[in-house]
Amino acid sequence: NAIKEAQIFLEKDPGNWAMHLALSEIYEKTGDESEHHEEIRKTQELLKKNIDAGARNPQEYFLLCQIYKKQRKIDDDISVIESMKLIPLDKETMRDTHFLLANLYYEAQKFDRVEDELQMTLKLDPEFHEANNFLGYLFVENNKNLDEAIQLISKALKVQPKNGAYLDSLGWAYYKK
């Protein structure tokens, strides 16, 4: 019934990416991989079209990024989120955009861009513990700014004192120093 209802809805509004996504999830639950992938393809196509036309809905950018991530299309991922920086965003969404880009650039091994994006993240939210730890860890990995790295990681640990990743980063920083 859910499939029939979604198809009826899409006959009236074929450009509704949210309904294509919902239908893809229904097909996934029923085990119909072929239809699942087809609906993901349609969702991706509609989101890309919207973004290319200058969509202002951050959710569309984040969702297309997730689709590309599952497809391991890191350069497309980066392109989508870079274009997202050009639309009006609230401070928290802009922070999250820069942090996501830092992670994508790290995955793509574009380390100079990682630092830039983390610096922008922390400029928007100096208390963002994930970014403090990530930048501190990046410094440690590159054997630079070790004192600053220790300060950044310690700041993250003040927020989450039992976080194993943060403790590991701090230990690694002291070892490198």
Side-chain angles (χ1 to χ4, degrees):
N1 286 339
I3 291 171
K4 286 179 191 174
E5 290 295 322
Q7 289 171 336
I8 290 169
F9 183 93
L10 286 169
E11 284 176 19
K12 295 175 187 168
D13 188 7
N16 188 309
W17 62 262
M19 185 54 73
H20 282 288
L21 181 63
L23 186 54
S24 78
E25 292 169 355
I26 295 168
Y27 282 129
E28 184 177 36
K29 288 179 182 176
T30 63
D32 191 336
E33 285 300 308
S34 174
E35 290 295 332
H36 165 71
H37 289 294
E38 178 60 17
E39 291 302 323
I40 289 291
R41 185 195 64 74
K42 289 177 184 176
T43 303
Q44 177 180 333
E45 185 178 284
L46 290 166
L47 288 169
K48 176 130 178 48
K49 181 180 169 190
N50 289 355
I51 288 168
D52 288 347
R56 293 186 175 270
N57 180 354
Q59 183 182 7
E60 291 179 310
Y61 291 82
F62 285 132
L63 180 57
L64 185 56
C65 180
Q66 287 177 323
I67 291 170
Y68 284 149
K69 188 159 187 66
K70 286 182 181 177
Q71 297 170 348
R72 294 187 164 95
K73 294 182 177 179
I74 189 72
D75 289 333
D76 290 334
D77 247 354
I78 290 170
S79 178
V80 166
I81 302 303
E82 278 290 350
S83 65
M84 185 176 165
K85 290 190 326 188
L86 303 175
I87 65 171
L89 300 169
D90 62 59
K91 190 175 178 180
E92 184 177 341
T93 304
M94 184 59 85
R95 177 202 72 186
D96 293 345
T97 300
H98 285 289
F99 188 67
L100 176 56
L101 268 171
N103 281 280
L104 293 171
Y105 281 128
Y106 188 83
E107 190 175 326
Q109 298 182 348
K110 297 178 180 178
F111 300 116
D112 56 325
R113 299 299 310 268
V114 175
E115 184 176 339
D116 292 343
E117 293 301 330
L118 288 171
Q119 293 286 6
M120 282 302 301
T121 303
L122 290 171
K123 185 176 181 183
L124 291 164
D125 183 356
E127 304 305 314
F128 192 44
H129 60 92
E130 293 97 332
N132 278 300
N133 181 69
F134 192 176
L135 183 57
Y137 177 81
L138 186 69
F139 286 159
V140 173
E141 279 296 298
N142 291 295
N143 233 2
K144 71 181 220 182
N145 305 339
L146 293 177
D147 289 330
E148 184 180 355
I150 290 168
Q151 289 175 343
L152 289 164
I153 297 164
S154 295
K155 192 172 187 178
L157 275 164
K158 285 180 184 173
V159 178
Q160 291 192 351
K162 295 183 181 184
N163 185 312
Y166 298 177
L167 291 166
D168 184 62
S169 294
L170 187 60
W172 187 232
Y174 283 133
Y175 175 79
K176 285 277 194 133
K177 188 171 179 186

